[in-house]
Amino acid sequence: MYHFFGNRCALRRGHVQARCRRGLAASFSVSSDAPSSPAPAKYRYIEQWHASTVKPQSFYDDFAAREKQKCYFYSVDLQGRLFLEDVLPKNIATSIKDENLLNFIFRRVRRIRDKEKAILEEAGAADDYPFVSPCGVELNFVRPADSPVVFHELREDSENGKSLVFGGNLSQLYRPDRLAMSPRTGRLYHELVPETRDGREVKPLTALHASASTAPEYGLIKSSVAVSLADAIVEGDGFGSDVICYDTGKRYPIEWLPAHAEA
């Protein structure tokens, strides 16, 4: 379970706890975690938030019928599942499961730019979609419940140790020194780190990995994956937590998620 108490956070086996002198603030089960945006206090269950984001069918039809630049709209839940935004209910049966399509969309997802925001302004939706995944002249706007990148599996890699999987089967190296925790929600994140080979940076895995050189980008770690890491999380000095890398015995502080990365 996710328990949101406040600003002092410590991961425990079987659940995530956040402690604060102010006491208990809220408590949500994994299946009903509230989204981080746009109004977490308003929606107790993510199903309510999903329903609130769906617009009239004419909105989707008009954008899909644009002559020069067709636009489509997607949402990403806290498990990392991708949906057409107008689909309800949102569950495993209605999620997009084609690995090639998932990889295609997530490789290209990036933060929205002013010219793309301007397209949405005429419909009053400029602030609803912080991310976009371009496909030629078409635009796939993405509205995540938290981060568009959600690491839904921690996989053992014989060559590199552990890898975090997202999208269809995209993966990046798990690095315990790049973990971060939200002081607001208690959720655990991993920085989107560019890969290197022989000391040289290789082609970025996604557009968000490419932009991380200017401001670090982070992917949400799915709650079940966070629980699997719990044995390695211990109390740190001061008000934070540390993670222990059992392969090397090194101990790394878990940083607070930067404000710009909060959903």
Side-chain angles (χ1 to χ4, degrees), residues 15-204:
H15 59 282
V16 178
Q17 293 181 323
R19 294 179 180 175
C20 182
R21 295 171 185 171
R22 293 192 297 272
L24 179 64
S27 177
F28 303 106
S29 68
V30 169
S31 62
S32 60
D33 266 344
S36 296
S37 65
K42 185 177 180 181
Y43 303 106
R44 181 174 179 84
Y45 301 105
I46 193 169
E47 292 82 4
Q48 295 173 321
W49 178 78
H50 278 312
S52 75
T53 64
V54 176
K55 297 176 174 60
Q57 190 58 44
S58 59
F59 172 88
Y60 304 104
D61 292 343
D62 290 346
F63 273 101
R66 294 176 85 239
E67 189 172 327
K68 291 185 178 180
Q69 194 169 41
K70 300 181 186 301
C71 301
Y72 304 95
F73 300 85
Y74 295 85
S75 63
V76 180
D77 71 3
L78 297 173
Q79 313 302 313
R81 298 177 298 196
L82 183 72
F83 304 87
L84 284 167
E85 187 179 65
D86 58 336
V87 169
L88 287 175
K90 288 179 169 61
N91 52 44
I92 185 64
T94 60
S95 65
I96 296 171
K97 292 175 278 292
D98 183 276
E99 285 191 348
N100 290 330
L101 177 58
L102 290 169
N103 290 343
F104 182 88
I105 290 178
F106 283 104
R107 278 187 184 278
R108 290 160 177 76
V109 71
R110 58 167 171 75
R111 292 190 179 271
I112 194 173
R113 296 170 183 167
D114 288 343
K115 62 180 180 179
E116 294 144 356
K117 207 169 188 179
I119 295 172
L120 299 174
E121 282 179 350
E122 57 191 71
D127 297 325
D128 291 348
Y129 304 94
F131 299 92
V132 66
S133 177
C135 174
V137 297
E138 296 179 353
L139 295 174
N140 298 306
F141 289 98
V142 180
R143 185 177 194 170
D146 190 299
S147 168
V149 173
V150 180
F151 297 110
H152 53 74
E153 182 184 352
L154 182 64
R155 183 179 296 168
E156 292 289 342
D157 190 321
S158 58
E159 294 183 3
N160 301 314
K162 293 182 175 69
S163 295
L164 288 164
V165 182
F166 66 99
N169 56 9
L170 300 173
S171 66
Q172 75 160 50
L173 186 65
Y174 166 68
R175 291 181 52 177
D177 61 323
R178 298 302 181 97
L179 292 175
M181 187 176 287
S182 168
R184 183 165 61 87
T185 66
R187 292 175 186 156
L188 192 65
Y189 298 77
H190 192 288
E191 186 177 342
L192 305 186
V193 184
E195 291 186 32
T196 57
R197 291 176 188 166
D198 299 324
R200 295 183 179 182
E201 194 170 299
V202 300
K203 182 179 178 180

Side-chain angles (χ1 to χ4, degrees), residues 178-241:
R178 298 302 181 97
L179 292 175
M181 187 176 287
S182 168
R184 183 165 61 87
T185 66
R187 292 175 186 156
L188 192 65
Y189 298 77
H190 192 288
E191 186 177 342
L192 305 186
V193 184
E195 291 186 32
T196 57
R197 291 176 188 166
D198 299 324
R200 295 183 179 182
E201 194 170 299
V202 300
K203 182 179 178 180
L205 182 58
T206 71
L208 283 174
H209 282 78
S211 64
S213 59
T214 55
E217 296 282 0
Y218 292 81
L220 173 69
I221 295 181
K222 182 181 174 182
S223 56
S224 60
V225 178
V227 167
S228 73
L229 294 172
D231 280 342
I233 308 293
V234 296
E235 290 282 357
D237 297 330
F239 293 95
S241 302

